Amino acid sequence: DTGVSQDPRHKITKRGQNVTFRCDPISEHNRLYWYRQTLGQGPEFLTYFQNEAQLEKSRLLSDRFSAERPKGSFSTLEIQRTEQGDSAMYLCASSLDGPRGSYNEQFFGPGTRLTVL
Amino acid sequence: AQSVTQLGSHVSVSEGALVLLRCNYSSSVPPYLFWYVQYPNQGLQLLLKYTTGATLVKGINGFEAEFKKSETSFHLTKPSAHMSDAAEYFCAVSGPGAQKLVFGQGTRLTINP
């Protein structure tokens, strides 16, 4: 399977704990995105990388959130001091850079469902 | 700024009936528009997209959508619903060269036998 993979698929944690999620994009894709989806809502953009550079961050990404893509391949999203409001599905997507102004399809992973008790 | 409004959080149709899911967008730049489908416990799958050119776009599984600039709409249709179409559908907008997708809140489609 050469699609986008995410690990873990499910995570239950207690309020105040730190959690880290991993995303492995499609191998030749140089762009990687993180979105958050709460129950009954559409996904909301959090951040994206081109290779190892983090190019845009949403206001939703508070100081407790940090994302990295150290070698331009896999990415991690860490949430420190989790709160109940962080409970959501965290989706990763990847795409391949194309000509300026073109759209390059984002392929989504299955997501990591976080529950904060 | 861009935004998407999906009219109707839940749509129910009979098997074989027309499916119509409504999407209106707001964008200060020429929009790129998308429909995604999400099955339970799965990621999002692209159904179809409009970027430039023909305003009627066809996608997978018999779905199609028409970009109407004057109405700022991008409604999704399928002539005959199948039980396997039951899922959550999301409309999304982006801009030329922009990378992030802005999604609507989703429409859950239920198919009645």
Side-chain angles (χ1 to χ4, degrees), chain A residues 30-31 50 96-104, chain B residues 32 95-99:
Chain A
N30 58 345
R31 287 186 170 163
Q50 179 156 336
L96 181 63
D97 197 8
R100 183 180 175 82
S102 68
Y103 173 74
N104 308 297
Chain B
Y32 287 0
Q99 295 308 315

Side-chain angles (χ1 to χ4, degrees), chain A residues 1 3 9 13 15 58 65 104:
Chain A
D1 186 8
R9 293 292 304 277
T13 191
R15 188 177 53 187
S58 163
F65 288 71
N104 308 297

